[in-house]
Amino acid sequence: MTETAKQRSRTSRTGSIPRTAARIALGLVLTGAGATHLTVARDDFQAQVPEWVPLNDDLVVLGSGVVEITLGVALLVAAKQRVLVGFVVAAFFIAIFPGNISQYLTKTDAFGLDTDQSRFIRLLFQPLLVLWALWATGASTVLRRALRGRR
């Protein structure tokens, strides 16, 4: 097999080089963020837990940190399952969005977000994280094909 054919075969199995780079970058971001849940940013993350969540704030932060690390590592090492992992990561970003909304509505300062404007701007980035997860893993392509097939 020629080097070009090998590259094409590898790309078709794992996705394009930009998507692979984006998947790896997101994996590193999630792993790093999860680690900060367990260590240096624990108090800031606790400030984001909405009051209506019926669990201990620290338990929520520790649990979400473990989930983020797990998802980050899955993005890094589970290339064959990347589409499934992409859907799970996107769902995770959607699931934690109420915490960001709560931080905005309750005017809670955390992570240097100490104005309504900065907290609101942060809300705009959550959909981008969802799109990043879907695109970087090829899940967006699968979703698009599935939606086309329904028509």
Side-chain angles (χ1 to χ4, degrees), residues 47-70:
Q48 287 189 279
V49 178
E51 290 193 20
W52 51 264
V53 173
L55 299 170
N56 175 280
D57 291 353
D58 197 41
L59 179 64
V60 171
V61 169
L62 293 173
S64 62
V66 169
V67 169
E68 283 190 7
I69 291 168
T70 302

Side-chain angles (χ1 to χ4, degrees), residues 5-121:
K6 285 181 187 177
Q7 179 62 33
R8 252 187 258 126
S9 176
R10 188 175 7 224
T11 299
S12 66
R13 281 186 313 222
T14 60
S16 70
I17 292 171
R19 283 185 183 209
T20 300
R23 179 176 51 81
I24 291 169
L26 183 56
L28 293 172
V29 167
L30 275 172
T31 303
T36 64
H37 276 68
L38 308 179
T39 57
V40 297
R42 219 155 136 182
D43 290 338
D44 282 328
F45 282 112
Q46 287 175 14
Q48 287 189 279
V49 178
E51 290 193 20
W52 51 264
V53 173
L55 299 170
N56 175 280
D57 291 353
D58 197 41
L59 179 64
V60 171
V61 169
L62 293 173
S64 62
V66 169
V67 169
E68 283 190 7
I69 291 168
T70 302
L71 292 174
V73 170
L75 284 166
L76 296 171
V77 302
K80 289 182 180 182
Q81 298 298 320
R82 71 186 186 284
V83 171
L84 174 61
V85 172
F87 281 123
V88 173
V89 171
F92 175 76
F93 287 143
I94 292 167
I96 63 171
F97 192 49
N100 298 343
I101 293 170
S102 175
Q103 182 181 9
Y104 172 72
L105 294 176
T106 60
K107 302 177 184 297
T108 303
D109 295 344
F111 301 107
L113 303 173
D114 55 4
T115 66
D116 286 344
Q117 181 181 8
S118 63
R119 288 185 287 268
F120 181 77
I121 290 170

